């Protein structure tokens, strides 16, 4: 059932068995697992069914570390959450991602890949994917032309593509019809209130943008607001614990990880470009339920990660004529004109063209002569770093919650691992006689600077999982250490990030958590 | 006055002989990129560019600035003039095998951003030293 908190009376009190904070991939998945459970579930959504500027404004925050897009751009606040701009890349983490690796500081999950695997299989249909098969041999018929890399060094990693599933749209009807599931829109959590000894959540304080306050009294709470919002709410909930909830050992908000991405170079193919199609374009495969889109990327083998003490990594491929500033400006301008409009920033575009005539000329030449090259992008596991963190700013948002301040920090190890992984892929392409790679100057330069650093909107690690309360925020069941009835869902619990896009793992972990809650709490 | 090395002529021939097979090993890919700042894009398409790559390699590996020592490290036949087509084919095969071994074992160098097999870079260096 759908309800609107704006229509409640001031000071409303809502009792429920399970309160889920956040209706994104994790929150909606957990709610769906309760449709037949016969328990009262309250799913709190800050926004509404459609985006509203005032609500999206609540996502604003500051960024003081590595360049990062505005926080309100990388996250969404309406039903379905950030799945509303998800591009659908799905792949499980690798088994090695769960291991404690001496060469990856702060690595190691308290659960194994095998523990999570049954839930990955259940997550596949939730994300509207094909069968739970990610080994190249599983798709040998559909993908016969994968490059035969030396498996001791480079392996083909497969992705499946979700349509992508917009969780708010796809599961709206199911949740709207479910009598025991109550989706409450326009309900912004301002604090999770615990009892005096801080061992139990007593209530969740909510507020609408028009100033109406209310309280939820739950038996159990799942915080599923995302990798920035989860620590933000915990840190802001300082009514009893001055350092916030789950933060006795100062881990909440730390270990923020993204998937740092940057173009690292290009390669001139020595074979027809089509040979790389499974890597840059994806291949449609027929499956029982329709079609599955698959894409491959070359990634570091487990063997070479262990031998060279490297974090996990793979490499993206694309293709084009040129990516110089001048040529890209010309291309964007041309596309705009073809669409019958002037570019948004024509002056900047002209300046880019004039200041990079050489690049512009090279791109035009290749375009006219139809000479494409392959681009490569880093897709690297970021090493967990306690100095990379989310804290609270002094400024507060419209409902009175301190805004988040992101200090994203990469280390030299991240850049070195990227450089090594890319070089290894380049060596393999050359060994096989199918392409010659040139690495960009920034990647080879000393220092930890990244050029053109971009992110994937994957916010991870800020409420990390550990069996040891001194090393993490939640335990292996995703329960906040020291608090009996507070759980966290989403990628904020990931102790390490791997290189795989996190949504499939978020959904798998959410199903696992729902199973646990149903069994433990009834 | 410093004497010109006696091996000058022979080395030039050797370098030319060596470069030709490499050009055929790395077929047409470098012809396709004509960007001034990527010198290596033209590697092996002409001897002058190969020598420039060689100079850059030697700048980073000064201890290898010795044609005799470099020649000894190249696959058999590379430092000798190719007299027949059969010689040429043998050199080409030897270079190809060495190049593949270098890439397989990660014995590579980066020159101007390009990932080269060590043997390729040494070939360029040899060409640079014996020009």
């Amino acid at each position: 059932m759908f309800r609107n908190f704006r229509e409640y009376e001031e000071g409303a009190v809502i009792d429920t068995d399970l309160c889920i904070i956040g209706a994104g991939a994790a929150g909606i998945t957990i709610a769906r697992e309760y449709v037949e459970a016969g328990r009262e579930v309250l799913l709190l959504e800050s926004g509404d069914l459609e985006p509203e500027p005032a609500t999206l404004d609540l996502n604003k925050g500051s960024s003081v570390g590595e360049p990062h897009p505005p926080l309100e751009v990388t996250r969404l606040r309406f039903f379905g959450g950030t799945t509303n701009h998800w591009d659908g890349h799905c792949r499980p983490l690798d088994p090695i991602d769960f291991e404690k690796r001496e060469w990856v500081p702060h690595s190691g999950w308290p659960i194994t890949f095998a523990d999570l695997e049954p839930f990955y299989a259940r997550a596949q249909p939730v994300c509207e994917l094909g069968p739970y098969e990610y080994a190249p041999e599983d798709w040998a018929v559909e993908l016969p032309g994968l490059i035969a890399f030396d498996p001791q060094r480079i392996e083909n990693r497969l992705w499946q593509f979700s349509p992508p599933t917009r969780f708010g749209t796809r599961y709206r009807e199911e949740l709207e019809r479910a009598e025991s599931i109550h989706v409450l829109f326009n309900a912004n959590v301002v604090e999770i209130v615990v009892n005096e000894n801080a061992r139990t959540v007593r209530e969740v304080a909510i507020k609408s943008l028009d100033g109406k306050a209310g309280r939820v009294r739950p038996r159990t709470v799942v915080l599923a607001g995302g990798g920035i919002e989860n620590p933000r709410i915990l840190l802001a909930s300082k009514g009893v614990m001055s350092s916030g909830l789950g933060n006795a050992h100062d881990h909440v908000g730390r270990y923020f990880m993204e998937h740092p991405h940057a173009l690292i170079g290009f390669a001139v193919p020595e074979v027809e470009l089509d040979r790389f199609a499974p890597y840059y374009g994806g291949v449609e495969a027929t499956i029982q339920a329709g079609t599955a889109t698959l894409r491959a990327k070359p990634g570091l083998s487990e063997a070479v990660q262990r031998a060279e003490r490297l974090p996990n990594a793979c490499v993206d491929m694309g293709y084009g004529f040129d990516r110089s500033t001048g040529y890209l400006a010309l291309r964007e301008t041309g596309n705009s004109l073809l669409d019958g409009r002037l570019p948004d920033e024509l002056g900047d575009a002209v300046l880019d063209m004039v200041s990079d005539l050489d690049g512009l000329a090279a791109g035009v030449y290749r375009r006219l002569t139809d000479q494409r090259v392959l681009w490569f992008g880093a897709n690297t596991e970021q090493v967990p770093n306690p100095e990379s963190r989310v804290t609270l700013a002094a400024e507060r948002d419209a409902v009175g919650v301190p805004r988040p301040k992101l200090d994203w920090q990469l280390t030299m190890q991240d850049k070195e691992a990227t450089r090594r992984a890319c070089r290894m892929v380049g060596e393999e392409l050359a060994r096989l006689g199918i392409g010659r790679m040139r690495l960009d100057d920034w990647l080879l330069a000393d220092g930890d600077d990244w050029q053109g650093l971009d992110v994937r909107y994957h916010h991870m690690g800020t409420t990390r999982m550990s069996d040891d309360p001194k090393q993490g925020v939640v335990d292996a069941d995703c329960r906040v250490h020291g608090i009996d009835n507070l759980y966290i869902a989403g990628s904020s619990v990931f102790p390490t990030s791997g290189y795989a896009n996190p949504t499939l793992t978020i959904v798998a972990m959410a199903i696992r958590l729902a199973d646990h809650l149903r069994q433990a709490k009834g | 006055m410093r004497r010109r090395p006696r091996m000058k002529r022979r080395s030039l021939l050797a370098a030319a002989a060596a470069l030709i097979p490499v050009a055929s090993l790395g077929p047409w890919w470098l012809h396709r990129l004509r960007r001034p700042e990527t010198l290596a894009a033209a590697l092996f398409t002409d001897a002058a560019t190969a020598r420039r790559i060689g100079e850059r390699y030697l700048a980073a590996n000064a201890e290898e600035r010795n044609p005799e020592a470099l020649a000894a490290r190249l696959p058999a036949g590379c430092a000798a003039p190719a007299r027949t087509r059969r010689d040429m084919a043998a050199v080409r095969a030897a270079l190809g095998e060495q190049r593949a071994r270098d890439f397989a074992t990660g014995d590579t160098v980066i020159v101007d951003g390009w990932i080269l097999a060590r043997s390729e870079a040494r070939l360029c260096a040899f060409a640079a030293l014996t020009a």
Side-chain angles (χ1 to χ4, degrees), chain B residues 88-105:
Chain B
M88 188 77 79
V91 170
R92 184 180 295 138
L95 271 170
E97 288 169 11
Q98 184 60 48
R99 173 179 170 274
R101 272 198 299 276
D102 288 349
F103 280 122
T105 58

Side-chain angles (χ1 to χ4, degrees), chain A residues 96 103 152 301-310 424:
Chain A
I96 194 172
W103 59 94
Q152 289 299 306
S301 70
E302 265 198 35
V304 85
Q305 288 178 59
R306 295 186 197 284
E308 299 199 17
R309 300 170 67 84
L310 292 168
M424 223 177 297

Side-chain angles (χ1 to χ4, degrees), chain A residues 150 153 266 268-271 322 324 356 358-359 362 365-366 370-373 422-423 426-428 430-431 433 436-439 441 444, chain B residues 25-38 43-44 99-100 103-110 112-117 120:
Chain A
D150 174 359
R153 308 183 82 204
F266 66 93
V268 183
E270 294 183 80
V271 293
D322 202 288
S324 64
D356 187 23
D358 179 52
Y365 173 80
R366 287 198 203 109
D370 195 26
Q371 297 176 15
R372 290 178 171 87
V373 293
C422 295
R423 180 169 179 167
E427 288 171 350
E428 277 293 289
R431 180 184 71 82
R436 281 300 188 115
M437 185 188 284
R438 184 187 187 277
L439 299 176
D441 295 341
L444 300 172
Chain B
L25 288 172
W28 42 267
W29 60 272
L30 290 163
H31 294 278
R32 297 180 61 179
L33 208 71
R34 300 181 187 282
R35 190 126 175 219
E37 74 271 28
T38 54
L43 176 63
F44 303 144
R99 173 179 170 274
F103 280 122
T105 58
D107 189 8
T108 59
V109 293
I110 295 180
D112 196 30
W114 292 98
I115 301 170
L116 304 178
E120 292 174 329

Side-chain angles (χ1 to χ4, degrees), chain A residues 3 47 68 102 149 181 183 203 213 251 254 440 449 507:
Chain A
R3 294 177 178 178
H68 192 281
E102 289 176 12
F149 295 110
I181 312 294
V183 182
E203 60 187 42
H251 289 305
R254 292 190 183 272
D440 281 356
D449 292 338
V507 173

Side-chain angles (χ1 to χ4, degrees), chain B residues 4-21 47-48 50-51 67 71 74 77-82 88 123-131:
Chain B
R4 291 168 68 88
R6 291 183 63 190
M7 65 178 295
K8 169 76 174 170
R9 178 178 167 75
R10 193 179 74 171
S11 300
L12 264 177
L13 290 173
L19 285 170
I20 292 167
R51 287 194 294 272
L74 290 171
C78 288
M88 188 77 79
L123 194 59
C124 291
F126 185 75
L129 288 177
T130 56

Side-chain angles (χ1 to χ4, degrees), chain A residues 16-210:
Chain A
T16 188
D17 292 320
L18 174 64
C19 174
I20 304 168
I21 301 170
I28 286 179
T29 298
I30 294 170
R32 291 186 64 240
E33 291 291 315
Y34 271 81
V35 166
E36 304 291 337
R39 295 288 173 183
E40 292 295 311
V41 174
L42 182 68
L43 177 55
L44 298 177
E45 169 52 52
S46 168
D48 214 311
L49 285 168
E50 299 295 332
E52 295 179 2
T55 308
L56 297 176
D57 182 84
L58 299 173
N59 274 342
K60 284 184 177 172
S62 54
S63 175
V64 297
E66 299 284 357
H68 192 281
L71 301 187
E72 72 275 18
V73 170
T74 59
R75 308 177 294 154
L76 294 173
R77 270 195 193 232
F78 63 103
F79 195 49
T82 303
T83 66
N84 287 300
H85 65 193
W86 181 37
D87 67 1
H89 283 65
C90 286
R91 174 178 172 79
L93 294 170
D94 294 341
I96 194 172
D97 294 328
F98 293 80
E99 294 181 15
K100 179 163 183 59
R101 294 160 284 166
E102 289 176 12
W103 59 94
V104 178
H106 310 289
S107 61
W109 293 48
I111 61 174
T112 65
F113 177 77
D115 292 330
L116 198 54
E117 195 158 31
F119 303 100
Y120 274 129
R122 288 169 60 185
Q124 290 283 118
V126 176
C127 297
E128 301 177 276
L129 299 166
Y132 176 61
E133 292 172 350
Y134 286 89
E137 50 269 30
D138 294 332
W139 299 96
V141 174
E142 292 82 1
L143 285 173
L146 293 181
I147 297 169
F149 295 110
D150 174 359
Q152 289 299 306
R153 308 183 82 204
I154 301 295
E155 292 177 339
N156 287 304
R157 310 290 191 205
L158 293 194
W159 268 253
Q160 292 188 33
F161 280 73
S162 171
T165 305
R166 307 291 181 214
F167 278 57
T169 304
R170 176 67 180 80
Y171 299 116
R172 172 179 172 170
E173 187 179 341
E174 178 185 0
L175 293 178
E176 194 168 13
R177 285 196 314 199
E179 292 193 356
S180 64
I181 312 294
H182 308 274
V183 182
L184 187 60
F185 294 102
N186 299 299
N188 301 290
V189 172
V190 294
E191 184 175 357
I192 297 173
V193 182
V194 291
N195 64 5
E196 289 177 358
N197 63 11
R199 292 201 62 84
T200 307
V201 173
R202 186 157 49 88
E203 60 187 42
V204 176
I206 56 177
K207 203 170 181 181
S208 65
L209 273 174
D210 54 10

Side-chain angles (χ1 to χ4, degrees), chain A residues 333-373:
Chain A
T333 303
N335 288 342
S336 296
L337 294 174
L338 286 174
D339 288 344
R341 60 181 174 82
L342 285 174
D344 295 335
E345 296 171 341
L346 180 60
D348 288 345
V350 171
L351 189 63
D352 284 344
M353 285 186 262
V354 171
S355 61
D356 187 23
L357 287 173
D358 179 52
L360 187 151
V364 169
Y365 173 80
R366 287 198 203 109
R367 176 77 190 237
L368 292 174
T369 52
D370 195 26
Q371 297 176 15
R372 290 178 171 87
V373 293

